[in-house]
Amino acid sequence: MRIIVAGGLGFIGTNFIRHLFSEEADVKIVNIDKMGVGSNPKNLEDLKKQANYSFVEGDISDPSVINNLIQEADAIVNFAAETHVDRSIKNPQIFIQSNILGVFNILESIRKHNRSINFVQVSTDEVYGEIEEGSFHEFDRLNPSNPYSASKAAADMLCLAYHRTYGLDVKITRCTNNFGPYQFPEKLIPKTIIRALRNLQVPIYGTGANIRDWIYVLDHCEAIRLVLEKGRAGEIYNVSSGNEVSNLEVVKEILQHLGKNEDLISFVEDRPGHDRRYSLDSSKIRSELGWRPKYDFSSALKKTIEWYLENESWWRPLATREVLHSTPWRHG
Ligand code: NAD
């Protein structure tokens, strides 16, 4: 199978490419990434010498990039997106460009040049917005709260419309919060690990009561692989492992693993529009495709902390002043 992976130099894309090579004997991957925020060319440097892997620097919001590669491909998995909610609040424009226009270009390219292609759009639980009780199903209404989640919701709608109108083979995955190796230092778990290691205050939005359903990145990657291979066209698959934990509990657990005092925790002004709780029902992917999470939260968190301890040379050049230094903490 010849697969275009878009956004493969980011956190999940990097883990997915490695996962696919470890699971599939006969796969050829072209990784397209614009090398923007969240990417790191070092992530997959060791694969460069493999004949079944190649990298193209390119932006999915430029139609020629996908058009040039699509005729040679059997599938596209799209991770390429601007992903940081705080950045989307400061500067929404680039989120519209990459997350909506980029997906539109992929769909147009498939429609015009290779209609048989198998396309997986990697989406997020954030498109549903927050939920006080219970969990969202795939058929629930979308209610995004910030420019990032709104842009992802718009892309999902385009994908479903292109399936319905033109019969394209499109599938959507909507996953909860990921953690694991190669995650950009400004996200909650790596930032907490790095700052705690340096005995710096660890900022938490509001009271830290916001609940996220955390999944280890390799469980997400396996779900995407199954959807790519066995998912039904025009379908949405929620992916969650049922590890609902508040931000405060996540931070406390990291401090405990590192043997650090909870005095390091510092509560900062909440993010505007901050969703209180996300929760997904993932029974569809479990019953239809046989997916199950393999990693439990605490041991996967420990594995992740160990990875950051062992890979300071990876995260140090990426860490911004705000991650590495003490005050002032600017947020949102
Ligand atoms: P990331 O920010 O680490 O990586 C995104 C990658 O996409 C980067 O390498 C970036 O350079 C690239 N990119 C961005 N815009 C591009 C463009 N226009 N053209 C080409 N490349 C572009 O993000 P991530 O956390 O790995 O997330 C990957 C995908 O998974 C995103 O679509 C995100 O919405 C989705 N997702 C993430 C999570 C999570 O918890 N991280 C959860 C659910 C879904």
Side-chain angles (χ1 to χ4, degrees):
M1 185 160 47
R2 297 158 304 174
I3 305 180
I4 297 172
V5 174
L9 286 186
F11 162 46
I12 307 174
T14 292
N15 281 288
F16 179 75
I17 289 173
R18 291 193 181 283
H19 182 67
L20 213 54
F21 278 134
S22 74
E23 295 294 316
E24 307 281 343
D26 186 21
V27 68
K28 207 171 165 195
I29 296 176
V30 180
N31 177 6
I32 303 175
D33 198 297
K34 74 170 181 183
M35 305 231 274
V37 178
S39 72
N40 186 353
K42 288 203 178 124
N43 289 3
L44 296 171
E45 220 161 45
D46 54 311
L47 299 186
K48 270 188 179 163
K49 46 189 180 304
Q50 279 184 211
N52 56 358
Y53 172 78
S54 58
F55 174 70
V56 174
E57 183 177 351
D59 189 325
I60 57 164
S61 60
D62 169 359
S64 63
V65 172
I66 300 284
N67 287 347
N68 287 342
L69 294 165
I70 203 159
Q71 271 139 15
E72 303 293 312
D74 302 306
I76 301 181
V77 182
N78 181 36
F79 296 93
E82 295 293 337
T83 60
H84 198 276
V85 174
D86 291 340
R87 288 178 193 268
S88 85
I89 294 168
K90 277 188 193 155
N91 180 13
Q93 174 80 38
I94 52 167
F95 285 71
I96 306 306
Q97 178 83 12
S98 282
N99 303 5
I100 305 178
L101 198 58
V103 173
F104 168 71
N105 278 334
I106 293 176
L107 291 164
E108 274 293 85
S109 186
I110 297 174
R111 180 172 81 85
K112 289 179 181 155
H113 303 293
N114 186 353
R115 284 194 182 217
S116 61
I117 223 157
N118 176 357
F119 176 38
V120 178
Q121 165 67 5
V122 179
S123 186
T124 163
D125 59 350
E126 299 199 25
V127 297
Y128 297 111
E130 64 184 1
I131 188 166
E132 250 176 56
E133 280 175 17
S135 305
F136 285 118
H137 293 83
E138 289 82 354
F139 49 76
D140 280 315
R141 147 183 113 92
L142 303 189
N143 188 22
S145 309
N146 55 62
Y148 162 69
S149 47
S151 68
K152 294 295 290 187
D156 286 8
M157 295 292 104
L158 280 172
C159 289
L160 294 174
Y162 270 65
H163 167 71
R164 182 83 192 260
T165 309
Y166 305 111
L168 300 194
D169 181 2
V170 182
K171 295 125 190 174
I172 295 170
T173 60
R174 291 187 182 144
C175 186
T176 59
N177 271 45
N178 285 223
F179 67 101
Y182 301 104
Q183 189 167 27
F184 210 62
E186 67 188 354
K187 302 279 172 115
L188 177 71
I189 289 181
K191 182 171 70 188
T192 301
I193 298 169
I194 293 167
R195 289 184 66 85
L197 274 177
R198 300 165 69 87
N199 294 314
L200 297 172
Q201 294 276 291
V202 173
I204 298 189
Y205 282 128
T207 60
N210 303 67
I211 292 172
R212 299 292 179 264
D213 187 346
W214 292 93
I215 184 170
Y216 190 57
V217 64
L218 290 183
D219 279 330
H220 183 195
C221 292
E222 177 59 7
I224 295 168
R225 189 180 75 88
L226 289 175
V227 170
L228 178 71
E229 289 180 5
K230 301 198 278 181
R232 286 183 293 133
E235 293 293 320
I236 299 162
Y237 294 92
N238 284 350
V239 183
S240 78
S241 24
N243 290 315
E244 286 195 26
V245 194
S246 74
N247 288 349
L248 185 57
E249 287 170 281
V250 171
V251 168
K252 281 185 176 174
E253 193 161 339
I254 294 171
L255 294 177
Q256 199 194 343
H257 278 305
L258 290 171
K260 300 287 180 181
N261 199 299
E262 287 181 13
D263 293 350
L264 286 182
I265 295 173
S266 147
F267 296 98
V268 299
E269 189 189 319
D270 211 351
R271 160 195 284 166
H274 203 177
D275 289 331
R276 225 193 76 69
R277 174 175 174 261
Y278 296 136
S279 182
L280 293 187
D281 181 297
S282 58
S283 48
K284 179 173 170 181
I285 192 169
R286 291 171 192 247
S287 62
E288 266 190 32
L289 307 184
W291 175 82
R292 296 275 178 287
K294 289 198 184 112
Y295 297 87
D296 79 85
F297 179 70
S298 287
S299 53
L301 186 61
K302 201 157 170 259
K303 244 168 112 73
T304 304
I305 293 170
E306 281 159 10
W307 189 88
Y308 279 88
L309 290 176
E310 285 159 16
N311 289 282
E312 181 166 347
S313 60
W314 179 87
W315 57 257
R316 184 169 266 280
L318 304 173
T320 58
R321 271 188 58 76
E322 277 164 287
V323 175
L324 287 177
H325 295 282
S326 51
T327 52
W329 181 263
R330 287 182 288 117
H331 42 85

